[in-house]
Short mmCIF file of all heavy atoms in Angstrom, two decimals:
data_model
loop_
_atom_site.label_atom_id
_atom_site.label_comp_id
_atom_site.label_asym_id
_atom_site.label_seq_id
_atom_site.Cartn_x
_atom_site.Cartn_y
_atom_site.Cartn_z
N SER A 1202 0.84 -1.18 0.00
CA SER A 1202 0.00 0.00 0.00
C SER A 1202 0.88 1.24 0.00
O SER A 1202 2.03 1.22 0.43
CB SER A 1202 -0.93 -0.06 1.20
OG SER A 1202 -0.71 0.92 2.14
N LYS A 1203 0.33 2.34 -0.46
CA LYS A 1203 1.13 3.56 -0.54
C LYS A 1203 1.48 4.10 0.84
O LYS A 1203 2.38 4.91 0.97
CB LYS A 1203 0.42 4.61 -1.38
CG LYS A 1203 -0.64 5.40 -0.67
CD LYS A 1203 -1.21 6.47 -1.60
CE LYS A 1203 -1.94 7.53 -0.83
NZ LYS A 1203 -2.41 8.61 -1.63
N TYR A 1204 0.75 3.67 1.86
CA TYR A 1204 1.00 4.16 3.22
C TYR A 1204 1.98 3.30 4.01
O TYR A 1204 2.42 3.70 5.07
CB TYR A 1204 -0.31 4.25 4.00
CG TYR A 1204 -1.28 5.24 3.41
CD1 TYR A 1204 -2.48 4.83 2.85
CD2 TYR A 1204 -1.00 6.60 3.42
CE1 TYR A 1204 -3.37 5.75 2.32
CE2 TYR A 1204 -1.88 7.52 2.89
CZ TYR A 1204 -3.06 7.09 2.34
OH TYR A 1204 -3.94 8.00 1.83
N ASP A 1205 2.32 2.13 3.51
CA ASP A 1205 3.21 1.23 4.24
C ASP A 1205 4.64 1.74 4.12
O ASP A 1205 5.27 1.63 3.09
CB ASP A 1205 3.10 -0.20 3.72
CG ASP A 1205 3.95 -1.16 4.52
OD1 ASP A 1205 4.39 -0.80 5.63
OD2 ASP A 1205 4.17 -2.28 4.03
N ARG A 1206 5.15 2.30 5.21
CA ARG A 1206 6.49 2.87 5.21
C ARG A 1206 7.48 1.97 5.94
O ARG A 1206 8.63 2.33 6.11
CB ARG A 1206 6.45 4.26 5.83
CG ARG A 1206 5.53 5.21 5.07
CD ARG A 1206 5.35 6.53 5.76
NE ARG A 1206 6.58 7.26 5.94
CZ ARG A 1206 7.07 8.15 5.08
NH1 ARG A 1206 6.42 8.39 3.97
NH2 ARG A 1206 8.19 8.78 5.34
N GLY A 1207 7.02 0.82 6.39
CA GLY A 1207 7.89 -0.11 7.07
C GLY A 1207 8.38 0.37 8.42
O GLY A 1207 9.45 -0.04 8.87
N GLU A 1208 7.62 1.24 9.05
CA GLU A 1208 8.01 1.78 10.35
C GLU A 1208 7.15 1.17 11.45
O GLU A 1208 5.95 1.00 11.27
CB GLU A 1208 7.85 3.30 10.37
CG GLU A 1208 8.74 4.00 9.36
CD GLU A 1208 8.43 5.47 9.21
OE1 GLU A 1208 7.35 5.91 9.66
OE2 GLU A 1208 9.26 6.18 8.64
N ASP A 1209 7.77 0.87 12.58
CA ASP A 1209 6.98 0.34 13.69
C ASP A 1209 6.32 1.48 14.46
O ASP A 1209 6.56 2.65 14.20
CB ASP A 1209 7.81 -0.56 14.60
CG ASP A 1209 8.93 0.17 15.33
OD1 ASP A 1209 8.89 1.42 15.40
OD2 ASP A 1209 9.82 -0.50 15.86
N ASP A 1210 5.47 1.12 15.40
CA ASP A 1210 4.69 2.12 16.13
C ASP A 1210 5.56 3.10 16.91
O ASP A 1210 5.19 4.26 17.06
CB ASP A 1210 3.69 1.45 17.08
CG ASP A 1210 2.42 1.02 16.36
OD1 ASP A 1210 2.23 1.40 15.19
OD2 ASP A 1210 1.62 0.31 16.99
N SER A 1211 6.70 2.65 17.41
CA SER A 1211 7.53 3.57 18.18
C SER A 1211 8.07 4.70 17.30
O SER A 1211 8.16 5.85 17.74
CB SER A 1211 8.67 2.83 18.88
OG SER A 1211 9.55 2.26 17.94
N VAL A 1212 8.40 4.39 16.05
CA VAL A 1212 8.87 5.41 15.12
C VAL A 1212 7.72 6.35 14.75
O VAL A 1212 7.88 7.58 14.75
CB VAL A 1212 9.47 4.77 13.84
CG1 VAL A 1212 9.81 5.82 12.80
CG2 VAL A 1212 10.71 3.95 14.20
N ARG A 1213 6.57 5.77 14.46
CA ARG A 1213 5.40 6.59 14.12
C ARG A 1213 5.01 7.50 15.28
O ARG A 1213 4.69 8.67 15.08
CB ARG A 1213 4.22 5.70 13.75
CG ARG A 1213 4.40 4.98 12.45
CD ARG A 1213 3.23 4.07 12.19
NE ARG A 1213 3.38 3.40 10.92
CZ ARG A 1213 2.38 3.09 10.12
NH1 ARG A 1213 1.14 3.37 10.46
NH2 ARG A 1213 2.61 2.51 8.97
N LYS A 1214 5.04 6.96 16.47
CA LYS A 1214 4.69 7.76 17.65
C LYS A 1214 5.67 8.91 17.83
O LYS A 1214 5.28 10.04 18.12
CB LYS A 1214 4.67 6.87 18.89
CG LYS A 1214 4.27 7.59 20.15
CD LYS A 1214 4.25 6.62 21.32
CE LYS A 1214 3.82 7.28 22.60
NZ LYS A 1214 3.81 6.34 23.72
N GLY A 1215 6.95 8.62 17.65
CA GLY A 1215 7.96 9.66 17.77
C GLY A 1215 7.76 10.78 16.77
O GLY A 1215 7.87 11.97 17.10
N LYS A 1216 7.42 10.41 15.54
CA LYS A 1216 7.17 11.43 14.52
C LYS A 1216 5.93 12.25 14.87
O LYS A 1216 5.92 13.46 14.70
CB LYS A 1216 7.04 10.79 13.15
CG LYS A 1216 8.36 10.30 12.62
CD LYS A 1216 8.24 9.79 11.21
CE LYS A 1216 9.61 9.38 10.70
NZ LYS A 1216 9.56 8.89 9.33
N TYR A 1217 4.89 11.57 15.34
CA TYR A 1217 3.68 12.30 15.72
C TYR A 1217 3.98 13.28 16.85
O TYR A 1217 3.53 14.43 16.81
CB TYR A 1217 2.57 11.33 16.14
CG TYR A 1217 1.33 12.04 16.63
CD1 TYR A 1217 0.55 12.77 15.74
CD2 TYR A 1217 0.99 12.03 17.97
CE1 TYR A 1217 -0.57 13.46 16.18
CE2 TYR A 1217 -0.13 12.72 18.42
CZ TYR A 1217 -0.90 13.42 17.52
OH TYR A 1217 -2.00 14.11 17.96
N MET A 1218 4.75 12.86 17.85
CA MET A 1218 5.10 13.74 18.95
C MET A 1218 5.88 14.95 18.43
O MET A 1218 5.62 16.09 18.83
CB MET A 1218 5.96 13.01 19.99
CG MET A 1218 5.29 11.86 20.66
SD MET A 1218 4.02 12.38 21.80
CE MET A 1218 3.31 10.82 22.24
N ASP A 1219 6.82 14.70 17.53
CA ASP A 1219 7.59 15.81 16.95
C ASP A 1219 6.69 16.78 16.20
O ASP A 1219 6.82 18.00 16.33
CB ASP A 1219 8.66 15.28 16.00
CG ASP A 1219 9.79 14.55 16.71
OD1 ASP A 1219 9.93 14.69 17.95
OD2 ASP A 1219 10.53 13.83 16.02
N TRP A 1220 5.76 16.24 15.40
CA TRP A 1220 4.85 17.11 14.64
C TRP A 1220 3.94 17.88 15.57
O TRP A 1220 3.63 19.04 15.31
CB TRP A 1220 4.03 16.29 13.65
CG TRP A 1220 4.85 15.69 12.55
CD1 TRP A 1220 5.98 16.22 12.00
CD2 TRP A 1220 4.61 14.47 11.88
NE1 TRP A 1220 6.44 15.37 11.02
CE2 TRP A 1220 5.63 14.29 10.93
CE3 TRP A 1220 3.63 13.48 11.99
CZ2 TRP A 1220 5.70 13.20 10.07
CZ3 TRP A 1220 3.69 12.39 11.14
CH2 TRP A 1220 4.72 12.25 10.21
N TYR A 1221 3.49 17.25 16.63
CA TYR A 1221 2.62 17.93 17.58
C TYR A 1221 3.35 19.13 18.20
O TYR A 1221 2.81 20.23 18.25
CB TYR A 1221 2.14 16.97 18.67
CG TYR A 1221 1.11 17.59 19.58
CD1 TYR A 1221 -0.23 17.46 19.31
CD2 TYR A 1221 1.49 18.32 20.70
CE1 TYR A 1221 -1.19 18.04 20.13
CE2 TYR A 1221 0.54 18.91 21.53
CZ TYR A 1221 -0.80 18.76 21.23
OH TYR A 1221 -1.73 19.35 22.04
N LEU A 1222 4.58 18.90 18.65
CA LEU A 1222 5.36 19.97 19.26
C LEU A 1222 5.71 21.05 18.24
O LEU A 1222 5.69 22.24 18.55
CB LEU A 1222 6.62 19.41 19.92
CG LEU A 1222 6.38 18.50 21.12
CD1 LEU A 1222 7.69 17.87 21.58
CD2 LEU A 1222 5.71 19.26 22.26
N GLU A 1223 6.02 20.63 17.02
CA GLU A 1223 6.33 21.60 15.96
C GLU A 1223 5.11 22.48 15.67
O GLU A 1223 5.23 23.70 15.57
CB GLU A 1223 6.74 20.86 14.68
CG GLU A 1223 6.98 21.76 13.49
CD GLU A 1223 7.24 20.99 12.21
OE1 GLU A 1223 7.43 19.75 12.23
OE2 GLU A 1223 7.26 21.65 11.16
N GLY A 1224 3.96 21.86 15.55
CA GLY A 1224 2.74 22.61 15.29
C GLY A 1224 2.41 23.57 16.41
O GLY A 1224 2.03 24.71 16.18
N ARG A 1225 2.60 23.11 17.61
CA ARG A 1225 2.33 23.98 18.77
C ARG A 1225 3.27 25.18 18.78
O ARG A 1225 2.86 26.31 19.03
CB ARG A 1225 2.47 23.17 20.05
CG ARG A 1225 2.08 23.93 21.28
CD ARG A 1225 2.10 23.01 22.48
NE ARG A 1225 1.96 23.81 23.68
CZ ARG A 1225 1.06 23.59 24.60
NH1 ARG A 1225 0.23 22.60 24.48
NH2 ARG A 1225 1.00 24.36 25.65
N ALA A 1226 4.55 24.93 18.47
CA ALA A 1226 5.54 26.01 18.43
C ALA A 1226 5.21 27.04 17.35
O ALA A 1226 5.49 28.23 17.50
CB ALA A 1226 6.93 25.44 18.21
N LYS A 1227 4.59 26.57 16.26
CA LYS A 1227 4.22 27.46 15.15
C LYS A 1227 2.85 28.09 15.34
O LYS A 1227 2.41 28.87 14.49
CB LYS A 1227 4.26 26.70 13.84
CG LYS A 1227 5.66 26.28 13.43
CD LYS A 1227 5.63 25.54 12.11
CE LYS A 1227 7.04 25.19 11.65
NZ LYS A 1227 7.02 24.49 10.35
N GLY A 1228 2.16 27.72 16.42
CA GLY A 1228 0.84 28.28 16.68
C GLY A 1228 -0.29 27.60 15.93
O GLY A 1228 -1.39 28.13 15.83
N TYR A 1229 -0.03 26.38 15.41
CA TYR A 1229 -1.07 25.64 14.68
C TYR A 1229 -2.01 24.96 15.66
O TYR A 1229 -1.66 24.69 16.81
CB TYR A 1229 -0.46 24.56 13.79
CG TYR A 1229 0.47 25.05 12.71
CD1 TYR A 1229 1.38 24.19 12.12
CD2 TYR A 1229 0.46 26.36 12.26
CE1 TYR A 1229 2.24 24.60 11.11
CE2 TYR A 1229 1.31 26.80 11.26
CZ TYR A 1229 2.19 25.91 10.69
OH TYR A 1229 3.04 26.33 9.70
N LYS A 1230 -3.19 24.63 15.17
CA LYS A 1230 -4.14 23.86 15.98
C LYS A 1230 -3.63 22.42 16.11
O LYS A 1230 -2.91 21.92 15.24
CB LYS A 1230 -5.51 23.86 15.31
CG LYS A 1230 -6.15 25.23 15.28
CD LYS A 1230 -7.50 25.17 14.62
CE LYS A 1230 -8.12 26.57 14.60
NZ LYS A 1230 -9.43 26.57 13.97
N PRO A 1231 -4.02 21.73 17.21
CA PRO A 1231 -3.57 20.35 17.40
C PRO A 1231 -3.94 19.42 16.24
O PRO A 1231 -3.24 18.44 15.98
CB PRO A 1231 -4.26 19.92 18.69
CG PRO A 1231 -4.49 21.19 19.43
CD PRO A 1231 -4.76 22.23 18.36
N ALA A 1232 -5.00 19.73 15.53
CA ALA A 1232 -5.42 18.89 14.41
C ALA A 1232 -4.39 18.85 13.29
O ALA A 1232 -4.37 17.91 12.49
CB ALA A 1232 -6.76 19.36 13.87
N TRP A 1233 -3.49 19.83 13.24
CA TRP A 1233 -2.47 19.84 12.19
C TRP A 1233 -1.62 18.57 12.25
O TRP A 1233 -1.37 17.92 11.23
CB TRP A 1233 -1.59 21.09 12.33
CG TRP A 1233 -0.49 21.15 11.32
CD1 TRP A 1233 -0.59 21.54 10.02
CD2 TRP A 1233 0.89 20.78 11.53
NE1 TRP A 1233 0.64 21.46 9.41
CE2 TRP A 1233 1.56 20.98 10.31
CE3 TRP A 1233 1.60 20.31 12.61
CZ2 TRP A 1233 2.91 20.74 10.15
CZ3 TRP A 1233 2.95 20.06 12.46
CH2 TRP A 1233 3.61 20.27 11.24
N ALA A 1234 -1.18 18.20 13.46
CA ALA A 1234 -0.37 16.99 13.60
C ALA A 1234 -1.18 15.75 13.27
O ALA A 1234 -0.66 14.81 12.65
CB ALA A 1234 0.19 16.90 15.02
N LEU A 1235 -2.43 15.72 13.66
CA LEU A 1235 -3.30 14.58 13.34
C LEU A 1235 -3.44 14.40 11.84
O LEU A 1235 -3.31 13.29 11.31
CB LEU A 1235 -4.69 14.78 13.95
CG LEU A 1235 -4.80 14.69 15.47
CD1 LEU A 1235 -6.15 15.21 15.93
CD2 LEU A 1235 -4.58 13.27 15.93
N MET A 1236 -3.70 15.50 11.14
CA MET A 1236 -3.89 15.42 9.69
C MET A 1236 -2.59 15.06 8.97
O MET A 1236 -2.60 14.32 7.99
CB MET A 1236 -4.45 16.73 9.16
CG MET A 1236 -5.85 17.04 9.66
SD MET A 1236 -7.06 15.74 9.33
CE MET A 1236 -7.08 15.74 7.56
N ARG A 1237 -1.49 15.57 9.47
CA ARG A 1237 -0.21 15.23 8.86
C ARG A 1237 0.06 13.74 9.00
O ARG A 1237 0.48 13.07 8.06
CB ARG A 1237 0.91 16.05 9.49
CG ARG A 1237 2.23 15.78 8.85
CD ARG A 1237 3.19 16.90 9.03
NE ARG A 1237 4.39 16.59 8.28
CZ ARG A 1237 5.51 17.27 8.36
NH1 ARG A 1237 5.57 18.33 9.12
NH2 ARG A 1237 6.56 16.92 7.66
N PHE A 1238 -0.19 13.21 10.20
CA PHE A 1238 0.01 11.77 10.43
C PHE A 1238 -0.88 10.95 9.50
O PHE A 1238 -0.42 10.03 8.84
CB PHE A 1238 -0.32 11.44 11.90
CG PHE A 1238 0.00 10.03 12.28
CD1 PHE A 1238 1.21 9.72 12.87
CD2 PHE A 1238 -0.91 9.00 12.07
CE1 PHE A 1238 1.52 8.41 13.23
CE2 PHE A 1238 -0.62 7.69 12.42
CZ PHE A 1238 0.60 7.40 13.00
N LYS A 1239 -2.16 11.33 9.41
CA LYS A 1239 -3.10 10.58 8.56
C LYS A 1239 -2.71 10.65 7.10
O LYS A 1239 -2.83 9.67 6.36
CB LYS A 1239 -4.53 11.06 8.76
CG LYS A 1239 -5.54 10.15 8.06
CD LYS A 1239 -6.93 10.45 8.51
CE LYS A 1239 -7.96 9.48 8.05
NZ LYS A 1239 -7.92 8.99 6.72
N SER A 1240 -2.23 11.81 6.65
CA SER A 1240 -1.87 11.93 5.24
C SER A 1240 -0.65 11.09 4.89
O SER A 1240 -0.51 10.63 3.76
CB SER A 1240 -1.62 13.40 4.88
OG SER A 1240 -0.42 13.87 5.44
N ILE A 1241 0.21 10.85 5.86
CA ILE A 1241 1.41 10.06 5.60
C ILE A 1241 1.19 8.57 5.82
O ILE A 1241 1.64 7.74 5.05
CB ILE A 1241 2.58 10.58 6.47
CG1 ILE A 1241 2.98 11.96 5.96
CG2 ILE A 1241 3.75 9.60 6.47
CD1 ILE A 1241 3.99 12.68 6.81
N TYR A 1242 0.45 8.22 6.89
CA TYR A 1242 0.29 6.81 7.25
C TYR A 1242 -1.07 6.21 6.89
O TYR A 1242 -1.26 5.01 7.01
CB TYR A 1242 0.55 6.62 8.75
CG TYR A 1242 1.97 6.94 9.12
CD1 TYR A 1242 2.29 8.05 9.88
CD2 TYR A 1242 3.02 6.13 8.70
CE1 TYR A 1242 3.60 8.35 10.22
CE2 TYR A 1242 4.33 6.42 9.03
CZ TYR A 1242 4.62 7.52 9.78
OH TYR A 1242 5.91 7.83 10.10
N GLY A 1243 -2.03 7.05 6.49
CA GLY A 1243 -3.33 6.53 6.07
C GLY A 1243 -4.24 6.12 7.20
O GLY A 1243 -5.28 5.51 6.98
N THR A 1244 -3.87 6.43 8.41
CA THR A 1244 -4.67 6.09 9.58
C THR A 1244 -4.43 7.16 10.65
O THR A 1244 -3.49 7.94 10.54
CB THR A 1244 -4.29 4.69 10.10
OG1 THR A 1244 -5.17 4.33 11.15
CG2 THR A 1244 -2.86 4.63 10.60
N TRP A 1245 -5.29 7.19 11.63
CA TRP A 1245 -5.12 8.15 12.72
C TRP A 1245 -4.10 7.63 13.71
O TRP A 1245 -3.92 6.43 13.84
CB TRP A 1245 -6.45 8.39 13.43
CG TRP A 1245 -7.50 8.98 12.55
CD1 TRP A 1245 -8.59 8.35 12.05
CD2 TRP A 1245 -7.55 10.32 12.03
NE1 TRP A 1245 -9.31 9.22 11.26
CE2 TRP A 1245 -8.71 10.43 11.24
CE3 TRP A 1245 -6.72 11.43 12.17
CZ2 TRP A 1245 -9.06 11.61 10.59
CZ3 TRP A 1245 -7.07 12.61 11.53
CH2 TRP A 1245 -8.23 12.69 10.75
N PRO A 1246 -3.45 8.52 14.47
CA PRO A 1246 -2.55 8.05 15.53
C PRO A 1246 -3.33 7.24 16.57
O PRO A 1246 -4.54 7.42 16.72
CB PRO A 1246 -2.03 9.35 16.15
CG PRO A 1246 -2.33 10.43 15.19
CD PRO A 1246 -3.50 9.97 14.38
N ALA A 1247 -2.62 6.40 17.27
CA ALA A 1247 -3.25 5.58 18.30
C ALA A 1247 -3.86 6.47 19.39
O ALA A 1247 -3.36 7.55 19.68
CB ALA A 1247 -2.21 4.64 18.92
N LYS A 1248 -4.94 5.97 19.96
CA LYS A 1248 -5.57 6.71 21.07
C LYS A 1248 -4.56 6.86 22.19
O LYS A 1248 -3.81 5.95 22.50
CB LYS A 1248 -6.80 5.97 21.57
CG LYS A 1248 -7.92 5.97 20.57
CD LYS A 1248 -9.18 5.41 21.15
CE LYS A 1248 -10.23 5.42 20.05
NZ LYS A 1248 -11.51 5.79 20.50
N GLY A 1249 -4.56 8.01 22.79
CA GLY A 1249 -3.65 8.26 23.89
C GLY A 1249 -2.40 9.02 23.47
O GLY A 1249 -1.76 9.65 24.30
N TRP A 1250 -2.02 8.96 22.20
CA TRP A 1250 -0.82 9.66 21.75
C TRP A 1250 -0.99 11.18 21.85
O TRP A 1250 -0.05 11.88 22.20
CB TRP A 1250 -0.47 9.28 20.33
CG TRP A 1250 0.09 7.89 20.18
CD1 TRP A 1250 0.21 6.94 21.15
CD2 TRP A 1250 0.60 7.31 18.99
NE1 TRP A 1250 0.76 5.80 20.62
CE2 TRP A 1250 1.00 5.99 19.29
CE3 TRP A 1250 0.74 7.75 17.68
CZ2 TRP A 1250 1.55 5.13 18.35
CZ3 TRP A 1250 1.28 6.90 16.74
CH2 TRP A 1250 1.69 5.60 17.07
N THR A 1251 -2.19 11.67 21.56
CA THR A 1251 -2.40 13.12 21.62
C THR A 1251 -2.30 13.60 23.06
O THR A 1251 -1.65 14.62 23.34
CB THR A 1251 -3.76 13.51 21.00
OG1 THR A 1251 -3.75 13.13 19.61
CG2 THR A 1251 -4.00 15.01 21.10
N ALA A 1252 -2.90 12.88 23.99
CA ALA A 1252 -2.82 13.26 25.40
C ALA A 1252 -1.36 13.24 25.87
O ALA A 1252 -0.91 14.13 26.59
CB ALA A 1252 -3.67 12.34 26.27
N GLU A 1253 -0.61 12.24 25.44
CA GLU A 1253 0.80 12.15 25.81
C GLU A 1253 1.59 13.32 25.20
O GLU A 1253 2.45 13.90 25.85
CB GLU A 1253 1.39 10.82 25.35
CG GLU A 1253 2.78 10.58 25.86
CD GLU A 1253 3.32 9.20 25.54
OE1 GLU A 1253 2.52 8.27 25.33
OE2 GLU A 1253 4.55 9.08 25.48
N ALA A 1254 1.26 13.67 23.96
CA ALA A 1254 1.93 14.80 23.31
C ALA A 1254 1.60 16.10 24.04
O ALA A 1254 2.47 16.96 24.22
CB ALA A 1254 1.51 14.89 21.84
N GLU A 1255 0.34 16.25 24.46
CA GLU A 1255 -0.05 17.45 25.22
C GLU A 1255 0.73 17.54 26.53
O GLU A 1255 1.17 18.62 26.92
CB GLU A 1255 -1.55 17.44 25.49
CG GLU A 1255 -2.38 17.69 24.25
CD GLU A 1255 -3.87 17.46 24.47
OE1 GLU A 1255 -4.27 17.01 25.56
OE2 GLU A 1255 -4.63 17.72 23.53
N ASN A 1256 0.89 16.40 27.21
CA ASN A 1256 1.65 16.38 28.46
C ASN A 1256 3.11 16.75 28.23
O ASN A 1256 3.69 17.50 29.00
CB ASN A 1256 1.56 15.01 29.13
CG ASN A 1256 0.19 14.74 29.71
OD1 ASN A 1256 -0.56 15.67 29.99
ND2 ASN A 1256 -0.15 13.48 29.87
N ARG A 1257 3.69 16.22 27.15
CA ARG A 1257 5.08 16.55 26.84
C ARG A 1257 5.22 18.03 26.52
O ARG A 1257 6.18 18.68 26.93
CB ARG A 1257 5.58 15.74 25.65
CG ARG A 1257 5.94 14.34 25.99
CD ARG A 1257 6.69 13.69 24.85
NE ARG A 1257 6.88 12.29 25.10
CZ ARG A 1257 7.48 11.47 24.28
NH1 ARG A 1257 7.95 11.91 23.14
NH2 ARG A 1257 7.63 10.20 24.59
N ALA A 1258 4.26 18.56 25.77
CA ALA A 1258 4.30 19.98 25.42
C ALA A 1258 4.19 20.84 26.67
O ALA A 1258 4.91 21.83 26.83
CB ALA A 1258 3.18 20.31 24.44
N ALA A 1259 3.32 20.45 27.59
CA ALA A 1259 3.16 21.21 28.82
C ALA A 1259 4.44 21.15 29.65
O ALA A 1259 4.86 22.16 30.22
CB ALA A 1259 1.98 20.66 29.63
N MET A 1260 5.07 19.99 29.71
CA MET A 1260 6.30 19.85 30.47
C MET A 1260 7.44 20.64 29.84
O MET A 1260 8.32 21.14 30.54
CB MET A 1260 6.70 18.39 30.62
CG MET A 1260 5.80 17.60 31.55
SD MET A 1260 5.66 18.30 33.20
CE MET A 1260 7.33 18.10 33.79
N SER A 1261 7.42 20.78 28.52
CA SER A 1261 8.49 21.53 27.86
C SER A 1261 8.38 23.02 28.14
O SER A 1261 9.35 23.76 27.98
CB SER A 1261 8.48 21.27 26.35
OG SER A 1261 7.36 21.89 25.74
N MET A 1262 7.22 23.46 28.60
CA MET A 1262 7.01 24.87 28.92
C MET A 1262 7.42 25.20 30.35
O MET A 1262 7.57 26.35 30.71
CB MET A 1262 5.53 25.24 28.74
CG MET A 1262 4.97 24.95 27.36
SD MET A 1262 5.53 26.10 26.13
CE MET A 1262 4.64 27.55 26.61
N VAL A 1263 7.60 24.17 31.19
CA VAL A 1263 7.94 24.37 32.60
C VAL A 1263 9.46 24.55 32.72
O VAL A 1263 10.22 23.74 32.19
CB VAL A 1263 7.49 23.15 33.44
CG1 VAL A 1263 7.93 23.29 34.88
CG2 VAL A 1263 5.99 22.96 33.34
N PRO A 1264 9.92 25.59 33.40
CA PRO A 1264 11.37 25.77 33.59
C PRO A 1264 11.97 24.56 34.32
O PRO A 1264 11.31 23.93 35.14
CB PRO A 1264 11.47 27.02 34.46
CG PRO A 1264 10.16 27.71 34.33
CD PRO A 1264 9.14 26.65 34.01
N ASP A 1265 13.22 24.26 34.02
CA ASP A 1265 13.87 23.06 34.58
C ASP A 1265 13.77 22.98 36.09
O ASP A 1265 13.49 21.93 36.63
CB ASP A 1265 15.35 23.02 34.16
CG ASP A 1265 15.52 22.65 32.71
OD1 ASP A 1265 14.60 22.04 32.14
OD2 ASP A 1265 16.55 23.00 32.13
N GLY A 1266 14.01 24.05 36.80
CA GLY A 1266 13.96 24.03 38.25
C GLY A 1266 12.59 23.71 38.81
O GLY A 1266 12.46 23.12 39.87
N ALA A 1267 11.54 24.07 38.08
CA ALA A 1267 10.18 23.85 38.55
C ALA A 1267 9.67 22.47 38.17
O ALA A 1267 8.65 22.03 38.68
CB ALA A 1267 9.26 24.91 37.98
N ARG A 1268 10.36 21.76 37.29
CA ARG A 1268 9.89 20.46 36.83
C ARG A 1268 9.75 19.46 37.98
O ARG A 1268 8.81 18.69 38.02
CB ARG A 1268 10.83 19.91 35.78
CG ARG A 1268 10.14 19.70 34.49
CD ARG A 1268 11.02 19.22 33.40
NE ARG A 1268 10.85 20.22 32.35
CZ ARG A 1268 11.63 20.40 31.35
NH1 ARG A 1268 12.68 19.66 31.20
NH2 ARG A 1268 11.38 21.33 30.46
N GLU A 1269 10.69 19.48 38.90
CA GLU A 1269 10.64 18.55 40.03
C GLU A 1269 9.39 18.80 40.87
O GLU A 1269 8.77 17.86 41.37
CB GLU A 1269 11.90 18.66 40.88
CG GLU A 1269 13.16 18.13 40.21
CD GLU A 1269 13.73 19.07 39.16
OE1 GLU A 1269 13.54 20.31 39.29
OE2 GLU A 1269 14.33 18.58 38.19
N GLU A 1270 9.01 20.06 41.02
CA GLU A 1270 7.81 20.39 41.79
C GLU A 1270 6.56 19.87 41.08
O GLU A 1270 5.65 19.37 41.72
CB GLU A 1270 7.69 21.90 41.96
CG GLU A 1270 8.81 22.50 42.80
CD GLU A 1270 8.77 24.01 42.81
OE1 GLU A 1270 7.69 24.58 42.52
OE2 GLU A 1270 9.80 24.62 43.08
N VAL A 1271 6.52 19.98 39.77
CA VAL A 1271 5.37 19.51 38.99
C VAL A 1271 5.29 17.99 39.05
O VAL A 1271 4.21 17.41 39.16
CB VAL A 1271 5.47 19.98 37.52
CG1 VAL A 1271 4.39 19.34 36.67
CG2 VAL A 1271 5.39 21.49 37.45
N MET A 1272 6.43 17.32 39.00
CA MET A 1272 6.46 15.86 38.99
C MET A 1272 6.17 15.27 40.37
O MET A 1272 5.81 14.12 40.48
CB MET A 1272 7.83 15.36 38.50
CG MET A 1272 8.17 15.79 37.09
SD MET A 1272 7.02 15.16 35.86
CE MET A 1272 7.58 13.48 35.75
N ALA A 1273 6.32 16.04 41.42
CA ALA A 1273 6.14 15.51 42.78
C ALA A 1273 4.69 15.26 43.10
O ALA A 1273 3.79 15.71 42.53
CB ALA A 1273 6.73 16.49 43.79
#
């Protein structure tokens, strides 16, 4: 199929996370990363990946010194 890129889920998930963070940095809506993933892989990202990407994005906004307080 045109969507079969021979990549396992960990690679796909990593790319989705990167696109989510890239889109957020550029001020795009979260759907941008979803649509990019679907256009490349022909399917939606696995459930839970968006929530995980949102958590990573939120943590990337927290200054290093405050991260320990958030994680506690």
Side-chain angles (χ1 to χ4, degrees):
S1202 114
K1203 81 177 198 176
Y1204 296 114
D1205 184 15
R1206 300 173 60 91
E1208 298 171 344
D1209 65 17
D1210 278 350
S1211 64
V1212 173
R1213 290 177 178 214
K1214 182 179 182 180
K1216 287 185 178 181
Y1217 176 69
M1218 298 288 173
D1219 290 344
W1220 292 329
Y1221 187 92
L1222 294 173
E1223 176 186 350
R1225 186 174 170 127
K1227 292 180 176 181
Y1229 299 160
K1230 294 180 180 180
W1233 178 80
L1235 290 168
M1236 294 305 296
R1237 183 156 185 190
F1238 187 95
K1239 189 167 189 318
S1240 72
I1241 291 173
Y1242 295 111
T1244 186
W1245 298 108
K1248 292 188 181 220
W1250 287 6
T1251 299
E1253 188 174 335
E1255 289 170 356
N1256 289 337
R1257 282 192 188 179
M1260 289 304 294
S1261 71
M1262 303 286 289
V1263 176
D1265 287 337
R1268 241 177 237 163
E1269 290 76 29
E1270 295 173 21
V1271 172
M1272 299 298 284

